[in-house]
Amino acid sequence: MRSKEYLTNVLVAPHVSEKTARATEKANQYVFRVRHEATKTEVRQAVELMFSVKVESVQVLNRPGKSRMFKQRRGRRNAIRKAYVRLAAGQTIDFTSTEK
């Protein structure tokens, strides 16, 4: 198992969109942007550590950056890595709580 310090830096941010809102309602899945070198096991451990929930499964995907034009110059958007985390039945994550 990785150190707690490392695991707290695995999750970059929750990924919020209409698609992720539907996944949360229907399948009890939450989507996080994660570090590029993070593995499924590390994502599972990080979510369980930070939110005190039981993770059922993790699916990770890489989204490559798109090529775009910026004022007559070619550029590239950043690539991101997302993790779809399915929680056990009855478990939820509340992103709005301000608990310390």
Side-chain angles (χ1 to χ4, degrees):
M1 183 173 154
R2 294 284 211 155
S3 70
K4 288 184 180 183
E5 183 179 329
Y6 177 81
L7 291 177
T8 56
N9 293 322
V10 168
L11 303 179
V12 175
H15 186 81
V16 180
S17 67
E18 290 182 21
K19 182 179 177 182
T20 60
R22 284 193 306 271
T24 301
E25 292 171 4
K26 291 184 178 181
N28 201 19
Q29 273 188 335
Y30 294 87
V31 184
F32 296 94
R33 291 181 66 180
V34 297
R35 294 174 60 164
H36 285 285
E37 64 273 1
T39 63
K40 288 183 179 185
T41 305
E42 292 169 350
V43 171
R44 172 189 299 266
Q45 292 171 352
V47 171
E48 289 178 349
L49 174 72
M50 294 179 73
F51 298 105
S52 301
V53 294
K54 179 69 177 145
V55 174
E56 192 173 288
S57 67
V58 176
Q59 296 171 333
V60 178
L61 65 92
N62 293 316
R63 191 190 75 192
K66 295 181 179 181
S67 296
R68 290 287 184 242
M69 293 290 289
F70 299 104
K71 295 187 180 181
Q72 307 300 324
R73 293 196 174 180
R74 295 194 61 78
R76 191 163 188 89
R77 290 186 182 172
N78 291 336
I80 67 168
R81 184 171 172 95
K82 295 191 292 188
Y84 286 80
V85 178
R86 183 183 306 263
L87 300 182
Q91 302 277 315
T92 59
I93 295 175
D94 184 17
F95 294 117
T96 59
S97 88
T98 56
E99 196 174 307
K100 296 199 178 196

